[in-house]
Amino acid sequence: MWRVHHFVEIDSTNSWLVNEAKNAAPEGVVAHADFQTAGRGRLDRQWESPAGTSLLCSILLRPPVAPGQLQLVVAAVALSARAALVRLSGVRPDLKWPNDLIAGDAKLAGLLAEIVTTNEGLAIVVGIGVNLTSVGPANVKSTSVLALSGVTISPRALLDILLDELEHRRAELETEDGRRDLRAEYERSLATLGQLVRVERRDDVVVGTASRVDEVGRLVVNVDGTEIAFEAADVVHVRRHEES
Ligand code: BT5
């Protein structure tokens, strides 16, 4: 089901694949790069990684889900990456809402999902960057598979196992029962739930206990007895709140 295009260097695998999706590329097209000159994070942030030291890829999916279920599609890719890392290195990262793989407080991987409306229907491009032998910029608390386990995984080996893992999770997106199972796996893997968190939006900061993720992927936080649901698109940062 997958067709991988490899690039030695590209601006951003997400940008390339979004463009392909607009030009009617079918589900299963994958962009894989050794190096990105303009790797993107959420909210115009940058993703930085030296050549050949991380998995940098984007996957085009056309699942039968409503735009509100985007978070579940991101979860399918994040969970597949996590399962692939377990198989190849023994490292078992947690998921952090909305789009990270973490070990403790350190970021191991980030995901960026973009929705493209096309004549062929809704396309979703999910990009992921996973630090394998290098960490992120100095001002960020980040880690790598090598630092965590001493194991060196090649980017292509991780991509192949990730895509293998994604096959059954993609199938789960087809049915109500499958989506329920996927949601359950997502909730079990989310370190964010149960934590006291600080949710930073553009104009305010809210502190409360993350209690669940709702049907449309919003993080529900209990703030002094009131539940507030946060959209991933509105959230600048979610941080663990240190009680003092
Ligand atoms: C993300 O955004 O975490 C999504 C990153 C997605 C990157 C992949 S690589 C393949 C595909 N093509 C692309 O162009 N993008 C995707 P966000 O949550 O906004 O986090 C971005 C922040 O993470 C930055 O502002 C830095 O603080 C930090 N960061 C940058 N590079 C990092 C790295 N290698 N490791 C850990 N943190 C990093």
mmCIF file of all heavy atoms in Angstrom, residues 3 22 25 30 41 63 67 71 76 83 115 142-143 169 171 177 202 213 230:
data_model
loop_
_atom_site.group_PDB
_atom_site.id
_atom_site.type_symbol
_atom_site.label_atom_id
_atom_site.label_comp_id
_atom_site.label_asym_id
_atom_site.label_seq_id
_atom_site.Cartn_x
_atom_site.Cartn_y
_atom_site.Cartn_z
ATOM 1 N N ARG A 3 4.098 3.783 -1.234
ATOM 2 C CA ARG A 3 5.041 4.086 -2.312
ATOM 3 C C ARG A 3 5.960 5.194 -1.818
ATOM 4 O O ARG A 3 5.549 6.347 -1.684
ATOM 5 C CB ARG A 3 4.268 4.535 -3.557
ATOM 6 C CG ARG A 3 4.982 4.084 -4.817
ATOM 7 C CD ARG A 3 4.187 4.244 -6.064
ATOM 8 N NE ARG A 3 3.987 5.636 -6.411
ATOM 9 C CZ ARG A 3 2.812 6.138 -6.817
ATOM 10 N NH1 ARG A 3 1.761 5.368 -6.897
ATOM 11 N NH2 ARG A 3 2.721 7.406 -7.129
ATOM 12 N N LYS A 22 -2.649 17.746 -3.566
ATOM 13 C CA LYS A 22 -3.466 18.678 -4.363
ATOM 14 C C LYS A 22 -3.494 18.226 -5.823
ATOM 15 O O LYS A 22 -4.443 18.508 -6.547
ATOM 16 C CB LYS A 22 -2.889 20.093 -4.279
ATOM 17 C CG LYS A 22 -3.146 20.748 -2.932
ATOM 18 C CD LYS A 22 -2.522 22.135 -2.889
ATOM 19 C CE LYS A 22 -2.679 22.731 -1.504
ATOM 20 N NZ LYS A 22 -1.697 23.791 -1.234
ATOM 21 N N ALA A 25 -2.475 12.875 -5.853
ATOM 22 C CA ALA A 25 -1.685 11.702 -5.464
ATOM 23 C C ALA A 25 -2.560 10.756 -4.644
ATOM 24 O O ALA A 25 -3.386 11.200 -3.846
ATOM 25 C CB ALA A 25 -0.478 12.136 -4.635
ATOM 26 N N VAL A 30 4.493 8.251 0.186
ATOM 27 C CA VAL A 30 5.312 8.627 1.345
ATOM 28 C C VAL A 30 6.520 9.419 0.848
ATOM 29 O O VAL A 30 7.133 9.039 -0.153
ATOM 30 C CB VAL A 30 5.807 7.359 2.091
ATOM 31 C CG1 VAL A 30 6.743 7.723 3.246
ATOM 32 C CG2 VAL A 30 4.625 6.527 2.596
ATOM 33 N N GLY A 41 7.426 22.728 12.012
ATOM 34 C CA GLY A 41 6.649 22.246 13.145
ATOM 35 C C GLY A 41 5.276 22.900 13.094
ATOM 36 O O GLY A 41 4.893 23.459 12.063
ATOM 37 N N PRO A 63 -8.267 8.549 4.769
ATOM 38 C CA PRO A 63 -9.191 7.694 5.526
ATOM 39 C C PRO A 63 -10.599 8.287 5.535
ATOM 40 O O PRO A 63 -10.762 9.496 5.358
ATOM 41 C CB PRO A 63 -8.600 7.705 6.940
ATOM 42 C CG PRO A 63 -7.889 9.002 7.032
ATOM 43 C CD PRO A 63 -7.435 9.381 5.647
ATOM 44 N N PRO A 67 -13.234 15.754 9.315
ATOM 45 C CA PRO A 67 -12.097 16.613 9.681
ATOM 46 C C PRO A 67 -11.875 16.655 11.206
ATOM 47 O O PRO A 67 -10.750 16.747 11.669
ATOM 48 C CB PRO A 67 -12.509 17.985 9.152
ATOM 49 C CG PRO A 67 -13.441 17.703 8.037
ATOM 50 C CD PRO A 67 -14.164 16.444 8.401
ATOM 51 N N GLN A 71 -7.209 14.091 14.813
ATOM 52 C CA GLN A 71 -6.328 13.699 15.908
ATOM 53 C C GLN A 71 -6.128 12.185 15.957
ATOM 54 O O GLN A 71 -5.063 11.691 16.318
ATOM 55 C CB GLN A 71 -6.920 14.215 17.223
ATOM 56 C CG GLN A 71 -5.982 14.156 18.405
ATOM 57 C CD GLN A 71 -4.787 15.095 18.260
ATOM 58 O OE1 GLN A 71 -4.848 16.070 17.529
ATOM 59 N NE2 GLN A 71 -3.702 14.776 18.929
ATOM 60 N N ALA A 76 -2.744 7.384 14.966
ATOM 61 C CA ALA A 76 -2.413 6.124 14.280
ATOM 62 C C ALA A 76 -0.942 6.118 13.865
ATOM 63 O O ALA A 76 -0.240 5.102 14.008
ATOM 64 C CB ALA A 76 -3.316 5.942 13.054
ATOM 65 N N ALA A 83 5.415 1.820 18.278
ATOM 66 C CA ALA A 83 5.528 0.360 18.196
ATOM 67 C C ALA A 83 6.779 -0.040 17.413
ATOM 68 O O ALA A 83 7.469 -1.006 17.766
ATOM 69 C CB ALA A 83 4.269 -0.215 17.536
ATOM 70 N N ILE A 115 -4.396 19.038 6.673
ATOM 71 C CA ILE A 115 -5.549 18.565 5.914
ATOM 72 C C ILE A 115 -5.581 19.270 4.570
ATOM 73 O O ILE A 115 -5.401 20.486 4.505
ATOM 74 C CB ILE A 115 -6.865 18.889 6.668
ATOM 75 C CG1 ILE A 115 -6.911 18.112 7.972
ATOM 76 C CG2 ILE A 115 -8.069 18.556 5.814
ATOM 77 C CD1 ILE A 115 -8.242 18.193 8.681
ATOM 78 N N SER A 142 15.363 17.710 24.603
ATOM 79 C CA SER A 142 15.085 16.665 23.621
ATOM 80 C C SER A 142 16.022 15.485 23.843
ATOM 81 O O SER A 142 16.996 15.576 24.578
ATOM 82 C CB SER A 142 15.248 17.205 22.211
ATOM 83 O OG SER A 142 16.592 17.507 21.953
ATOM 84 N N THR A 143 15.703 14.378 23.195
ATOM 85 C CA THR A 143 16.541 13.191 23.320
ATOM 86 C C THR A 143 16.510 12.422 22.013
ATOM 87 O O THR A 143 15.835 12.819 21.061
ATOM 88 C CB THR A 143 16.082 12.325 24.518
ATOM 89 O OG1 THR A 143 17.041 11.300 24.752
ATOM 90 C CG2 THR A 143 14.717 11.692 24.276
ATOM 91 N N ARG A 169 -3.324 -0.214 11.743
ATOM 92 C CA ARG A 169 -3.989 0.957 12.365
ATOM 93 C C ARG A 169 -4.770 1.743 11.309
ATOM 94 O O ARG A 169 -5.822 2.299 11.584
ATOM 95 C CB ARG A 169 -2.964 1.827 13.096
ATOM 96 C CG ARG A 169 -2.406 1.121 14.327
ATOM 97 C CD ARG A 169 -1.456 1.973 15.125
ATOM 98 N NE ARG A 169 -0.948 1.241 16.285
ATOM 99 C CZ ARG A 169 0.071 0.395 16.249
ATOM 100 N NH1 ARG A 169 0.721 0.171 15.119
ATOM 101 N NH2 ARG A 169 0.452 -0.240 17.337
ATOM 102 N N ALA A 171 -6.248 0.320 8.860
ATOM 103 C CA ALA A 171 -7.465 -0.487 8.684
ATOM 104 C C ALA A 171 -8.456 -0.177 9.809
ATOM 105 O O ALA A 171 -9.672 -0.134 9.589
ATOM 106 C CB ALA A 171 -7.113 -1.973 8.659
ATOM 107 N N ASP A 177 -15.766 0.160 15.188
ATOM 108 C CA ASP A 177 -15.085 -0.694 16.171
ATOM 109 C C ASP A 177 -13.579 -0.438 16.153
ATOM 110 O O ASP A 177 -12.925 -0.346 17.192
ATOM 111 C CB ASP A 177 -15.325 -2.173 15.862
ATOM 112 C CG ASP A 177 -16.710 -2.603 16.314
ATOM 113 O OD1 ASP A 177 -17.430 -1.766 16.910
ATOM 114 O OD2 ASP A 177 -17.069 -3.772 16.062
ATOM 115 N N ARG A 202 -2.648 31.458 22.783
ATOM 116 C CA ARG A 202 -2.005 32.716 22.381
ATOM 117 C C ARG A 202 -2.237 33.812 23.425
ATOM 118 O O ARG A 202 -1.365 34.603 23.699
ATOM 119 C CB ARG A 202 -2.521 33.172 21.018
ATOM 120 C CG ARG A 202 -1.947 32.335 19.890
ATOM 121 C CD ARG A 202 -2.513 32.711 18.542
ATOM 122 N NE ARG A 202 -2.136 31.739 17.532
ATOM 123 C CZ ARG A 202 -2.735 30.561 17.363
ATOM 124 N NH1 ARG A 202 -3.752 30.206 18.134
ATOM 125 N NH2 ARG A 202 -2.325 29.725 16.432
ATOM 126 N N VAL A 213 -9.318 12.749 26.361
ATOM 127 C CA VAL A 213 -9.371 13.332 25.032
ATOM 128 C C VAL A 213 -10.777 13.044 24.513
ATOM 129 O O VAL A 213 -11.240 11.899 24.576
ATOM 130 C CB VAL A 213 -8.304 12.711 24.105
ATOM 131 C CG1 VAL A 213 -8.450 13.220 22.681
ATOM 132 C CG2 VAL A 213 -6.903 13.017 24.628
ATOM 133 N N PHE A 230 -9.683 21.787 24.913
ATOM 134 C CA PHE A 230 -8.746 22.574 24.104
ATOM 135 C C PHE A 230 -8.546 21.944 22.735
ATOM 136 O O PHE A 230 -8.310 20.750 22.629
ATOM 137 C CB PHE A 230 -7.385 22.663 24.814
ATOM 138 C CG PHE A 230 -7.433 23.461 26.079
ATOM 139 C CD1 PHE A 230 -7.680 22.844 27.300
ATOM 140 C CD2 PHE A 230 -7.250 24.832 26.050
ATOM 141 C CE1 PHE A 230 -7.737 23.583 28.465
ATOM 142 C CE2 PHE A 230 -7.306 25.577 27.209
ATOM 143 C CZ PHE A 230 -7.552 24.957 28.416
#
